[in-house]
Amino acid sequence: MEENYSKPPGIRFMERAKKSSLSFKTYQAIVLIVTFLAYASYHATRKTTSIVKSALDPQTPGVDGLMFPWQRHTTQESSRLSWMLKDGWLPFNGHDGTAMLGQLDVSFLFVYAMGMYFSGHVGDRMDLRIFLTIGMVGTGLFTALFGVGYWANVHIFYYYLIVQMMAGLFQSTGWPSVVAVVGNWFGKKKRGLIMGIWNAHTSIGNITGSLVASILLKYGWGWSMVVPGSIIAIIGVLVFLFLPVHPESVGANHDEDEDEVFSPRKEGEEVTEPLLRSDREEESAVGFIEAWKIPGVAPFALCLFFAKLVAYTFLYWLPFYISHTAIDGKYLSNEEAGNLSTLFDVGGVVGGILAGYISDRLGARAITAASFMYCAIPVLYLYRSYGHISMTINIILMLITGVFVNGPYALITTAVSADLGTHSSLKGNSRALATVTAIIDGTGSIGAAIGPLLTGYISATSWSAVFTMLMGAAFIAGLLLTRLVVAEVGANIHQLGSPRSRSPDLEV
């Protein structure tokens, strides 16, 4: 029978040029670089609409995020069509423009969340290299089509709504695919640290997308969509040419790697077969319901729901909050607030790396994630209570908040998802990584849509109430991992008398 994964043409060319096979470490480096570029480009295209908003609706405050119907404001209606940025773009420059932009964002996020479940199911049933390429080219196409409305003089709201929804659907192909591929190539021993560093693609993509879209905006808002859309499509072609999905697809010998690609079962259990078999034809993809039943999947998925609720509320509302909060008695401009808010992403990068490293050292993903979520509670309180005193204090507290809010979010969506996708209960079946990743991140993405939505309502009354909501969400996120934390504590106590440490299999 034919193998599920074929050797990428770019890899074949490199091997012919070298006249020998590449080393296992080289393959791993290629995987990290290609998947890093791939998901950074996903996030870059995701950020473009937030930049374009100021051109579509000039009266909308310069907020890098969601706007909602209850935030309506009176603007001067204009019946004439204009190509000038200062006049906005119908139908978004009318009195309902803000509400329409909010509908685009919410629709995108919910379709993205729902599409995640579908994408994981399909991803485990076809070549992930092909699947990821289709997703990236599709994302690029619909991102560009949004911008085409500029030159085509499109002023129909439903055109932009449908394009955004389709973009969200294709965007959902990215995360399950890249995590599954990285999980195929890196074992549990250093997976947390490696994926923590690798997860910086999210922040790099956000920053890159913002910069590219902002620079191009003066030439016409259409360019701010078309160029990033073209970039992700080009990177999608690179994925097709160079991404090896699995060691077997390139004939790599993972025995060369000192950290075994797939960890054996718990110590004391009889190992009768490797976690991932070489005979891939015998494997069948794990079903959606079956994946939910894997020990640890449901608790981590629900935990991520609340963790992402907190993280995405900051992503979409932090610039607005900063610009409407006097720091040392002074209000920052929208541009200054947006620049300052990027420090939250910087803290997030540090948090992701730190959470991954700690979880590797402790061999305890749940303990690490829960601890970070509990630590986020007092940090959120301190940022709300003392962030306005001075710029220095605001910066320090924002960085620390980014560490504890984004740290567990990054850990769960990367190392934890990969661990659970190769859980021992699967009895060697490797074809669950994309499905498990999609379940966890898809559930989290629903929280990512609900958080900013609730913030729109609550912030109209009190920002202190918003932070109370975020602290409550962080507490619930940590609480949901209690059973897994107890199991990991017991496992670590049990292994104190053992000369060789091992990593718990997230099982209860």
Side-chain angles (χ1 to χ4, degrees):
M1 280 176 82
E2 203 173 327
E3 287 189 347
N4 291 325
Y5 300 105
S6 58
K7 184 177 291 189
I11 296 295
R12 290 200 298 267
F13 175 80
M14 292 172 66
E15 290 178 342
R16 281 198 299 268
K18 189 181 177 183
K19 296 182 180 179
S20 66
S21 297
L22 303 177
S23 68
F24 192 82
K25 294 288 188 184
T26 301
Y27 286 125
Q28 287 182 314
I30 292 173
V31 167
L32 287 178
I33 292 171
V34 173
T35 53
F36 185 97
L37 291 174
Y39 207 67
S41 66
Y42 271 103
H43 261 266
T45 56
R46 198 176 300 176
K47 285 289 291 183
T48 53
T49 51
S50 65
I51 302 300
V52 168
K53 283 178 182 177
S54 62
L56 299 178
D57 181 11
Q59 299 302 317
T60 299
V63 181
D64 192 16
L66 293 177
M67 306 298 293
F68 298 95
W70 55 85
Q71 295 170 274
R72 295 180 184 178
H73 50 275
T74 303
T75 61
Q76 182 179 0
E77 296 230 8
S78 174
S79 58
R80 64 187 180 87
L81 305 180
S82 175
W83 294 70
M84 301 297 291
L85 294 180
K86 64 181 180 179
D87 292 330
W89 191 263
L90 286 176
F92 302 107
N93 62 351
H95 70 281
D96 284 333
T98 303
M100 290 179 178
L101 291 173
Q103 290 168 25
L104 293 184
D105 286 327
V106 173
S107 299
F108 174 91
L109 285 170
F110 272 107
V111 171
Y112 173 79
M114 294 299 102
M116 190 76 72
Y117 297 119
F118 171 79
S119 296
H121 183 77
V122 174
D124 276 327
R125 286 160 174 78
M126 66 180 291
D127 189 330
L128 284 171
R129 177 170 60 90
I130 306 298
F131 185 60
L132 189 57
T133 300
I134 293 172
M136 295 179 73
V137 172
T139 298
L141 173 64
F142 285 100
T143 301
L145 281 176
F146 192 104
V148 167
Y150 173 75
W151 292 283
N153 207 20
V154 177
H155 300 276
I156 302 171
F157 169 71
Y158 288 103
Y159 168 83
Y160 298 102
L161 180 66
I162 292 171
V163 166
Q164 274 294 84
M165 292 174 70
M166 291 302 297
L169 181 62
F170 278 98
Q171 279 265 354
S172 69
T173 61
W175 193 242
S177 301
V178 295
V179 172
V181 173
V182 174
N184 283 338
W185 282 93
F186 292 90
K188 292 182 181 178
K189 185 179 178 182
K190 296 179 181 177
R191 184 182 280 165
L193 176 60
I194 291 171
M195 284 189 154
I197 298 172
W198 171 77
N199 195 59
H201 51 47
T202 299
S203 298
I204 298 297
N206 288 340
I207 294 169
T208 302
S210 297
L211 291 176
V212 171
S214 297
I215 292 171
L216 295 173
L217 199 59
K218 60 186 177 183
Y219 300 107
W221 65 262
W223 290 109
S224 297
M225 302 297 293
V226 170
V227 172
S230 301
I231 291 174
I232 190 174
I234 292 171
I235 296 177
V237 175
L238 293 178
V239 166
F240 175 79
L241 293 175
F242 291 101
L243 182 64
V245 173
H246 190 279
E248 293 173 14
S249 67
V250 290
N253 178 14
H254 55 69
D255 288 335
E256 297 175 25
D257 189 18
E258 62 182 8
D259 176 19
E260 292 182 4
V261 178
F262 305 107
S263 299
R265 299 183 182 187
K266 288 186 177 182
E267 191 176 317
E269 292 184 21
E270 182 181 357
V271 181
T272 58
E273 59 182 345
L275 189 55
L276 297 185
R277 305 175 192 165
S278 58
D279 187 5
R280 300 185 62 82
E281 292 77 24
E282 295 180 11
E283 297 180 0
S284 59
V286 174
F288 182 79
I289 301 300
E290 186 181 356
W292 266 105
K293 294 178 180 178
I294 296 173
V297 169
F300 272 111
L302 294 174
C303 172
L304 188 63
F305 176 95
F306 291 98
K308 250 189 164 180
L309 184 153
V310 178
Y312 269 65
T313 297
F314 268 85
L315 176 67
Y316 283 118
W317 284 96
L318 185 58
F320 181 89
Y321 172 74
I322 293 173
S323 65
H324 288 72
T325 301
I327 301 176
D328 196 15
K330 300 177 182 177
Y331 287 92
L332 300 180
S333 68
N334 292 324
E335 182 180 356
E336 290 171 332
N339 292 335
L340 180 61
S341 69
T342 59
L343 294 176
F344 179 79
D345 273 327
V346 175
V349 172
V350 176
I353 296 172
L354 189 61
Y357 176 76
I358 292 173
S359 69
D360 282 343
R361 296 284 294 180
L362 296 178
R365 309 289 195 212
I367 292 174
T368 305
S371 298
F372 270 65
M373 291 311 307
Y374 288 136
C375 288
I377 297 172
V379 171
L380 286 167
Y381 174 79
L382 291 173
Y383 182 71
R384 170 58 181 165
S385 302
Y386 301 102
H388 66 279
I389 293 177
S390 71
M391 182 63 71
T392 301
I393 293 176
N394 188 286
I395 290 174
I396 292 173
L397 290 176
M398 189 187 304
L399 286 169
I400 297 174
T401 303
V403 169
F404 288 108
V405 169
N406 281 347
Y409 158 39
L411 178 66
I412 295 171
T413 55
T414 54
V416 169
S417 296
D419 288 350
L420 293 171
T422 56
H423 194 273
S424 62
S425 65
L426 297 171
K427 298 179 180 179
N429 192 343
S430 67
R431 301 183 65 188
L433 271 168
T435 300
V436 169
T437 301
I439 286 174
I440 292 175
D441 199 50
T443 304
S445 296
I446 297 174
I450 291 175
L453 190 66
L454 291 176
T455 300
Y457 283 111
I458 300 172
S459 63
T461 304
S462 168
W463 274 105
S464 293
V466 170
F467 276 83
T468 300
M469 176 193 74
L470 298 180
M471 289 186 283
F475 178 73
I476 295 173
L479 207 60
L480 285 165
L481 297 181
T482 300
R483 192 179 176 196
L484 294 178
V485 169
V486 171
E488 286 185 346
V489 169
N492 282 320
I493 292 175
H494 177 72
Q495 76 181 68
L496 287 177
S498 174
R500 187 174 59 176
S501 63
R502 58 177 173 78
S503 200
D505 202 13
L506 295 172
E507 187 168 20
V508 292

